[in-house]
Short mmCIF file of all heavy atoms in Angstrom, two decimals:
data_model
loop_
_atom_site.label_atom_id
_atom_site.label_comp_id
_atom_site.label_asym_id
_atom_site.label_seq_id
_atom_site.Cartn_x
_atom_site.Cartn_y
_atom_site.Cartn_z
N VAL A 743 135.88 124.92 69.67
CA VAL A 743 135.78 126.33 69.29
C VAL A 743 136.91 127.13 69.94
O VAL A 743 137.59 127.93 69.28
CB VAL A 743 134.40 126.90 69.68
CG1 VAL A 743 134.37 128.40 69.53
CG2 VAL A 743 133.32 126.27 68.82
N HIS A 750 144.51 129.81 65.99
CA HIS A 750 144.49 130.82 64.93
C HIS A 750 144.65 132.25 65.47
O HIS A 750 144.48 133.21 64.72
CB HIS A 750 143.21 130.71 64.11
CG HIS A 750 143.08 129.42 63.39
ND1 HIS A 750 143.89 129.08 62.33
CD2 HIS A 750 142.25 128.37 63.57
CE1 HIS A 750 143.56 127.88 61.89
NE2 HIS A 750 142.57 127.42 62.64
N ARG A 755 138.05 137.80 68.63
CA ARG A 755 136.83 137.54 67.87
C ARG A 755 135.95 136.54 68.62
O ARG A 755 134.73 136.70 68.70
CB ARG A 755 137.16 136.99 66.48
CG ARG A 755 135.90 136.72 65.64
CD ARG A 755 136.21 135.89 64.41
NE ARG A 755 136.76 134.58 64.72
CZ ARG A 755 136.05 133.52 65.11
NH1 ARG A 755 134.75 133.61 65.24
NH2 ARG A 755 136.65 132.38 65.37
N GLU A 759 132.14 137.17 69.84
CA GLU A 759 131.04 136.28 69.43
C GLU A 759 130.37 135.64 70.64
O GLU A 759 129.16 135.46 70.65
CB GLU A 759 131.56 135.21 68.47
CG GLU A 759 131.84 135.74 67.09
CD GLU A 759 132.23 134.65 66.12
OE1 GLU A 759 132.14 133.44 66.46
OE2 GLU A 759 132.63 135.00 65.00
N SER A 762 128.09 138.18 72.16
CA SER A 762 126.93 138.34 71.30
C SER A 762 125.97 137.16 71.46
O SER A 762 124.75 137.34 71.55
CB SER A 762 127.39 138.47 69.85
OG SER A 762 126.29 138.50 68.98
N LYS A 765 124.16 137.31 74.80
CA LYS A 765 123.13 138.36 74.78
C LYS A 765 121.90 137.86 74.02
O LYS A 765 120.77 138.02 74.48
CB LYS A 765 123.69 139.61 74.10
CG LYS A 765 122.74 140.77 74.09
CD LYS A 765 123.38 141.99 73.46
CE LYS A 765 122.41 143.15 73.41
NZ LYS A 765 122.99 144.32 72.77
N LEU A 766 122.11 137.24 72.88
CA LEU A 766 121.01 136.69 72.09
C LEU A 766 120.29 135.60 72.87
O LEU A 766 119.06 135.54 72.87
CB LEU A 766 121.53 136.14 70.77
CG LEU A 766 120.50 135.47 69.86
CD1 LEU A 766 119.46 136.49 69.41
CD2 LEU A 766 121.19 134.86 68.66
N ALA A 774 110.83 133.73 75.31
CA ALA A 774 110.15 132.45 75.53
C ALA A 774 109.31 132.50 76.80
O ALA A 774 108.18 132.02 76.83
CB ALA A 774 111.16 131.32 75.61
N ARG A 775 109.86 133.11 77.87
CA ARG A 775 109.09 133.22 79.12
C ARG A 775 107.87 134.10 78.93
O ARG A 775 106.79 133.79 79.43
CB ARG A 775 109.98 133.78 80.23
CG ARG A 775 110.91 132.76 80.84
CD ARG A 775 111.53 133.26 82.13
NE ARG A 775 112.32 134.47 81.96
CZ ARG A 775 113.62 134.50 81.69
NH1 ARG A 775 114.28 133.38 81.55
NH2 ARG A 775 114.25 135.65 81.55
N LYS A 778 105.28 132.15 76.95
CA LYS A 778 104.67 131.12 77.78
C LYS A 778 103.67 131.73 78.76
O LYS A 778 102.57 131.19 78.96
CB LYS A 778 105.77 130.37 78.54
CG LYS A 778 105.28 129.11 79.21
CD LYS A 778 106.41 128.38 79.92
CE LYS A 778 107.22 127.62 78.89
NZ LYS A 778 108.23 126.75 79.50
N ASN A 781 100.52 132.75 76.82
CA ASN A 781 99.73 131.57 76.47
C ASN A 781 98.97 131.03 77.68
O ASN A 781 97.83 130.59 77.57
CB ASN A 781 100.61 130.48 75.86
CG ASN A 781 101.07 130.85 74.46
OD1 ASN A 781 100.50 131.71 73.81
ND2 ASN A 781 102.13 130.20 74.00
N ALA A 782 99.61 131.04 78.83
CA ALA A 782 98.95 130.57 80.05
C ALA A 782 97.77 131.48 80.40
O ALA A 782 96.71 131.01 80.80
CB ALA A 782 99.94 130.52 81.20
N LEU A 783 97.95 132.78 80.22
CA LEU A 783 96.87 133.73 80.50
C LEU A 783 95.70 133.51 79.55
O LEU A 783 94.55 133.50 79.97
CB LEU A 783 97.39 135.16 80.38
CG LEU A 783 96.40 136.27 80.74
CD1 LEU A 783 95.92 136.11 82.17
CD2 LEU A 783 97.05 137.63 80.54
N LYS A 784 96.00 133.29 78.27
CA LYS A 784 94.94 133.03 77.29
C LYS A 784 94.20 131.74 77.63
O LYS A 784 92.97 131.69 77.55
CB LYS A 784 95.53 132.92 75.88
CG LYS A 784 95.94 134.23 75.29
CD LYS A 784 96.51 134.03 73.90
CE LYS A 784 97.10 135.32 73.35
NZ LYS A 784 97.73 135.11 72.03
N ALA A 785 94.92 130.72 78.03
CA ALA A 785 94.29 129.45 78.39
C ALA A 785 93.37 129.63 79.60
O ALA A 785 92.27 129.09 79.63
CB ALA A 785 95.35 128.39 78.68
N ALA A 796 78.95 127.55 80.48
CA ALA A 796 78.32 126.35 81.03
C ALA A 796 77.36 126.72 82.15
O ALA A 796 76.26 126.18 82.24
CB ALA A 796 79.37 125.37 81.53
#
Side-chain angles (χ1 to χ4, degrees):
V743 170
H750 296 292
R755 181 193 60 80
E759 286 185 8
S762 174
K765 183 178 178 181
L766 177 64
R775 282 193 300 269
K778 192 178 281 188
N781 288 342
L783 184 59
K784 286 180 188 177

